[in-house]
Amino acid sequence: MEIAILLVEDSPGDVRLTQEAFREANMDVRLHVAVDGVAAMAFLRREGDYHHAPRPDMILLDLNLPKMDGREVLAAIKADASLKMIPTVILTTSDAEADIFRSYELQANCYLSKPVELEAFESLVSRINEFWLTTVKLPQRQKAVGSDLPAIAG
């Protein structure tokens, strides 16, 4: 079964590396790319050119983006009832403690720092695949849409 991942990344080099690494790690991954935060939200909300965009099974989100930064995108995702269940993994070059803290405060599911070495980056993508797409149980797409979710007694 095809796995849809939204990669929100403005660096063409990092996009290419991620595409190649997933191609080697898992042929079932279909990587969709948004080059800024505004495009990411349009994709997720299926607006404009993204009217037929699939609901991603996972989001890989850079923090330093043009137009709308990754922190704003993360906050918008987690504030939206129809999107908040999508696992959102921060994948960024920042090792700043403030960025790590803020990302988890905004309910990121995971925070990963991009390694600069090619082999280390490929290894990281392989581990993302192994953990998030092989080991972890993700909500089924048709169950994560809204009205067909089971009621939770309060």
Side-chain angles (χ1 to χ4, degrees), residues 9 21 23 35 42 45-46 51 69 85 87 89 96 106-107 124 134 138 140:
E9 173 62 66
R23 200 175 355 251
V35 296
R45 292 179 176 147
R46 297 179 176 143
H51 178 70
D69 81 7
M85 294 281 293
V89 174
L106 291 170
Q107 302 176 353
L124 178 64
T134 305
L138 297 175
Q140 295 177 12

Side-chain angles (χ1 to χ4, degrees), residues 114-135:
K114 290 182 209 171
V116 293
E117 303 83 25
L118 177 61
E119 282 187 28
F121 186 83
E122 289 173 343
S123 176
L124 178 64
V125 170
S126 178
R127 286 181 285 154
I128 290 170
N129 176 69
E130 184 178 322
F131 181 75
W132 284 102
L133 306 178
T134 305
T135 306

Side-chain angles (χ1 to χ4, degrees), residues 17-27 122 125-126 129:
L17 286 175
T18 306
Q19 288 170 328
E20 290 173 10
F22 269 116
R23 200 175 355 251
E24 289 196 21
N26 188 339
M27 293 298 291
E122 289 173 343
V125 170
S126 178
N129 176 69

Side-chain angles (χ1 to χ4, degrees), residues 79-137:
D80 187 319
S82 67
L83 302 175
K84 69 181 181 179
M85 294 281 293
I86 302 171
T88 305
V89 174
I90 303 302
L91 182 60
T92 188
T93 56
S94 174
D95 278 327
E97 190 61 37
D99 284 336
I100 297 168
F101 182 84
R102 183 70 178 137
S103 295
Y104 282 114
E105 187 176 57
L106 291 170
Q107 302 176 353
N109 295 92
C110 182
Y111 190 103
L112 300 170
S113 295
K114 290 182 209 171
V116 293
E117 303 83 25
L118 177 61
E119 282 187 28
F121 186 83
E122 289 173 343
S123 176
L124 178 64
V125 170
S126 178
R127 286 181 285 154
I128 290 170
N129 176 69
E130 184 178 322
F131 181 75
W132 284 102
L133 306 178
T134 305
T135 306
V136 170
K137 299 285 186 209

Side-chain angles (χ1 to χ4, degrees), residues 3-90:
I3 301 162
I5 296 178
L6 175 60
L7 173 63
V8 187
E9 173 62 66
D10 63 322
S11 165
D14 286 351
V15 168
R16 194 183 76 252
L17 286 175
T18 306
Q19 288 170 328
E20 290 173 10
F22 269 116
R23 200 175 355 251
E24 289 196 21
N26 188 339
M27 293 298 291
D28 292 330
V29 168
R30 171 90 164 97
L31 201 63
H32 302 270
V33 179
V35 296
D36 62 56
V38 172
M41 292 313 300
F43 183 98
L44 291 167
R45 292 179 176 147
R46 297 179 176 143
E47 299 170 343
D49 292 341
Y50 301 105
H51 178 70
H52 295 292
R55 176 186 172 87
D57 297 295
M58 183 172 74
I59 301 166
L60 295 176
L61 177 63
D62 189 15
L63 290 182
N64 302 308
L65 299 167
K67 297 185 183 179
M68 180 181 192
D69 81 7
R71 295 156 203 84
E72 294 171 296
V73 173
L74 179 59
I77 290 168
K78 297 304 180 177
D80 187 319
S82 67
L83 302 175
K84 69 181 181 179
M85 294 281 293
I86 302 171
T88 305
V89 174
I90 303 302

